[in-house]
Amino acid sequence: MSREGFIERLEYFSTISTGFIIDYINSRGFETAVKETMLYSVQGGKRLRPALLLGAFSSFSNDSLAAALPFAAAIEMIHTYSLIHDDLPAMDDDDMRRGKPSNHIQFGEAEAILAGDALLNAAAECMLENLVDAGEPGQRASVIIMKAAGAEGMIGGQSLDIAGVHTKQQLKKMYSMKTGALLKASAVAGAVLGGCSHGEEKYIGDFAEHLGFAFQIKDDLLDVSGDSGIMGKPTGSDEGNNKTTIVSLSGIHETEKLLDETAGEALKELRKVEADTWFLQELMKFIDQRKG
Ligand code: GRG
């Protein structure tokens, strides 16, 4: 499949998951300020997690994507809630997100907290409403997603980050929970919904662990050398906040080498899977080469 074919597919996954999320929020029976604040933050973003979920699903199933869409939407709503809460003054205190003022800058802290809470709740609702149709794979996918978002995954990682990390080992553990867990859950939930075997689930999980680490390595590199216009947020924030990152511990050259090695490891795992994983392979390369 060509690079153009990949970008077309990525945009398609992004369009359908965004459409699903916006329709879902709009279709809810409430007309309070929180609807506007939720809709504000779900717009924008690369939709990497829905792409991973839908790409993994398509590797194992030729069925309509409709079966996987509620789960892709749920994971993106969880990711968006984490960004809203992460930007709050009590957390990372960031004023810009997705190329516009962060939710709390636009609407105030109280509304931003509620927008995040409501998105997390909507994610659970969205999956639960589809459990009858999605059957046992849907139940497993829901558990995979909610666990990855919780204290064993993303929230636990945020807690480790707040406590402070100083060594490469601590940093890797923190990254694997804070950002890696949700990325891994996206790929594994998609594969499970698509009907992968037990063995394939393990390979997809290992692939996604490497992909998640590569994503974070790239994020650290972009913070020192990225284009803030493309990224939709200021660069240099890690150094400004005195944060330990892979770049601060290893330097740019070593970090670039580590990124190549980690992306290579991810692709190696995919070669163990018999299903056609072309989209996931291209997504790994896209993350490696992304500029924002
Ligand atoms: C506050 C509960 C809570 C959790 C926060 C994941 C997380 C935990 C915070 C995110 C903080 C952050 C900016 C980490 C750097 C890596 C990262 C997740 C970047 C944003 O993800 P992208 O690049 O964003 O996929 P888009 O906007 O494209 O979706």
Side-chain angles (χ1 to χ4, degrees):
M1 187 57 71
S2 66
R3 186 78 180 159
E4 290 74 36
F6 165 72
I7 296 294
E8 215 173 276
R9 192 79 177 146
L10 186 62
E11 281 170 5
Y12 177 65
F13 286 159
S14 169
T15 304
I16 59 174
S17 51
T18 302
F20 187 98
I21 293 169
I22 290 173
D23 288 350
Y24 188 81
I25 296 172
N26 274 325
S27 71
R28 302 293 95 183
F30 65 97
E31 288 305 335
T32 52
V34 75
K35 188 180 243 178
E36 188 195 339
T37 57
M38 291 163 85
L39 287 169
Y40 176 82
S41 285
V42 292
Q43 291 177 62
K46 297 178 286 298
R47 304 288 185 247
L48 288 179
R49 292 148 195 84
L52 258 177
L53 192 147
L54 296 172
F57 175 82
S58 314
S59 294
F60 296 99
S61 172
N62 291 320
D63 288 354
S64 157
L65 292 171
L69 254 184
F71 299 88
I75 212 148
E76 183 64 22
M77 288 195 274
I78 293 170
H79 167 60
T80 306
Y81 120 72
S82 83
L83 297 179
I84 296 173
H85 282 192
D86 191 64
D87 289 339
L88 288 167
M91 299 267 179
D92 255 17
D93 197 9
D94 281 319
D95 289 357
M96 290 293 288
R97 174 66 62 187
R98 294 183 160 171
K100 56 191 180 186
S102 305
N103 196 293
H104 69 278
I105 297 292
Q106 189 75 9
F107 302 105
E109 283 182 46
E111 281 300 339
I113 291 169
L114 290 181
D117 292 343
L119 282 166
L120 175 61
N121 220 82
E125 287 165 41
C126 183
M127 292 189 288
L128 286 168
E129 283 170 3
N130 282 279
L131 279 198
V132 173
D133 288 345
E136 201 250 332
Q139 292 165 25
R140 289 199 46 225
S142 309
V143 174
I144 289 167
I145 291 169
M146 292 312 285
K147 271 185 126 164
E152 280 178 56
M154 183 180 76
I155 291 178
Q158 183 76 350
S159 179
L160 287 180
D161 196 10
I162 290 167
V165 290
H166 308 288
T167 64
K168 281 186 196 172
Q169 207 183 3
Q170 289 172 338
L171 189 65
K172 206 170 169 190
K173 170 91 184 144
M174 185 272 282
Y175 281 161
S176 78
M177 293 172 75
K178 179 174 157 174
T179 45
L182 212 54
L183 288 163
K184 180 176 176 183
S186 307
V188 175
V192 166
L193 288 163
C196 71
S197 69
H198 190 67
E200 286 164 330
E201 183 180 331
K202 158 97 175 70
Y203 297 142
I204 292 291
D206 291 347
F207 150 73
E209 265 180 33
H210 292 301
L211 175 139
F213 188 43
F215 170 86
Q216 192 60 66
I217 299 171
K218 185 72 184 192
D219 208 69
D220 286 359
L221 279 168
L222 286 172
D223 194 69
V224 288
S225 58
D227 178 328
S228 61
I230 300 174
M231 292 168 70
K233 58 175 188 175
T235 52
S237 64
D238 291 338
E239 198 183 347
N241 294 336
N242 254 331
K243 278 203 142 185
T244 303
T245 69
I246 317 232
V247 177
S248 75
L249 289 175
S250 308
I252 293 188
H253 182 66
E254 279 304 309
T255 306
E256 282 169 345
K257 243 173 72 187
L258 183 63
L259 173 61
D260 281 349
E261 282 164 17
T262 309
E265 290 297 321
L267 295 173
K268 208 153 88 183
E269 290 303 323
L270 282 185
R271 286 197 283 276
K272 298 178 185 168
V273 178
E274 269 184 41
D276 184 359
T277 58
W278 75 270
F279 180 83
L280 298 178
Q281 294 166 37
E282 290 299 322
L283 191 61
M284 181 62 262
K285 293 177 203 160
F286 174 81
I287 287 172
D288 187 349
Q289 289 152 20
R290 78 192 166 103
K291 305 231 181 303

